[in-house]
Amino acid sequence: MRRAGHMADRARRMAGEMVVPGITTAAIDREVRRLIELDGGTPSFLDYNGFPGSSCISINDEVIHGIPGSRKIQFGDIVSVDVGAFFQGFHGDCAATFGAGELSPQARMLINVTRQSFFEALAYCREGYRLSDISYAVQAHVESRGFSVVRDFVGHGIGRHLHEPPEVPNFGQPGRGVRLQAGMTLAIEPMINMGSGDIIVLDDGWTVRTSDGSLSAHYENTVLITDGEPEILTRSGDEVV
């Protein structure tokens, strides 16, 4: 899983560097696939339940599951890239939101709060805490900054399958759910909207958008629960926003 996570992280960072005005989402997706395959893996998302891309690329008010295609990124867009890699029977899954050119202060704040909410949750990724302690940490941080948590989609366990139990919501009361144990691997992924947390799914059956047209950001890493400090298996440096 460390190898799979490293592949996914490399592809995420490369995709982030490619987020510039004028490039198509299909061009980014092709490079994601090329890099994962060059590293010896396969894209987890390609043909997953029929998904046609190697990555999910979601722009502005698109929350998740954007299908790569001919759409060109525009100056000032925020672009969420979700990447999964499969290697020798195991998956790694990660995502981040990047800016194309200069962003508004509100968009920059949304991206930063979304990212930080993951690290607020990471503090509770230790043996003895309960699953909902992670969920509450995300919600408390996000709502204290005036943003909304998407409730219709959640994080998940991950390992031999891309999506495994348990579900990892980004909301809820603390002290509930399963108790965390060493060896668990969780994909923790705050999906945060600038306006309402409500969403709609487009007719393509995949693309999820905010119901009110407000901006949305996404940040995700695959985390290993240990008997000490949690380990981010999709470890990356600070993204440039």
Side-chain angles (χ1 to χ4, degrees):
M1 286 192 70
R2 289 188 181 94
R3 288 287 300 277
H6 183 252
M7 291 176 189
D9 172 47
R10 276 191 10 110
R12 170 178 58 178
R13 288 187 283 119
M14 180 206 64
E17 293 170 358
M18 293 181 68
V19 172
V20 295
I23 195 169
T24 65
T25 55
I28 296 174
D29 187 67
R30 283 194 298 270
E31 288 303 300
V32 166
R33 179 174 182 176
R34 184 191 66 81
L35 184 58
I36 291 173
E37 291 179 345
L38 185 66
D39 282 345
T42 56
S44 298
F45 301 168
L46 187 60
D47 295 326
Y48 181 78
N49 291 334
F51 188 76
S54 296
S55 58
C56 301
I57 304 179
S58 308
I59 301 175
N60 294 334
D61 63 340
E62 295 174 348
V63 181
I64 50 172
H65 301 165
I67 299 173
S70 60
R71 181 176 177 178
K72 290 184 178 181
I73 293 170
Q74 305 296 316
F75 184 87
D77 283 348
I78 66 171
V79 182
S80 298
V81 182
D82 192 355
V83 177
F86 182 70
F87 178 74
Q88 293 187 359
F90 291 90
H91 293 271
D93 190 6
C94 61
T97 302
F98 306 92
E102 185 175 352
L103 301 182
S104 69
Q106 295 85 356
R108 188 180 299 275
M109 182 178 179
L110 173 67
I111 294 172
N112 289 338
V113 167
T114 301
R115 182 180 185 278
Q116 183 58 36
S117 70
F118 166 84
F119 288 98
E120 297 295 320
L122 187 67
Y124 296 91
C125 292
R126 299 169 181 270
E127 279 196 308
Y129 284 107
R130 291 194 179 273
L131 190 67
S132 70
D133 296 330
I134 295 173
S135 307
Y136 178 75
V138 172
Q139 181 182 11
H141 182 76
V142 167
E143 293 183 350
S144 71
R145 270 66 178 178
F147 299 121
S148 299
V149 171
V150 172
R151 293 171 178 251
D152 295 79
F153 293 88
V154 298
H156 50 93
I158 183 171
R160 291 188 181 276
H161 300 280
L162 181 60
H163 294 98
E164 298 181 350
E167 291 189 342
V168 187
N170 295 305
F171 60 92
Q173 294 300 311
R176 300 178 181 178
V178 299
R179 197 173 294 279
L180 302 181
Q181 300 179 30
M184 286 182 169
T185 44
L186 305 174
I188 300 169
E189 51 178 322
M191 293 158 274
I192 308 305
N193 295 349
M194 187 174 287
S196 166
D198 295 335
I199 57 90
I200 55 174
V201 180
L202 300 190
D203 291 341
D204 62 21
W206 286 104
T207 308
V208 177
R209 300 179 68 176
T210 60
S211 64
D212 58 6
S214 62
L215 296 178
S216 185
H218 185 197
Y219 187 82
E220 175 185 19
N221 279 308
T222 299
V223 176
L224 169 65
I225 309 299
T226 75
D227 57 4
E229 294 287 329
E231 179 182 349
I232 300 176
L233 300 181
T234 46
R235 180 72 256 184
S236 67
D238 290 345
E239 288 83 8
V240 176
V241 175

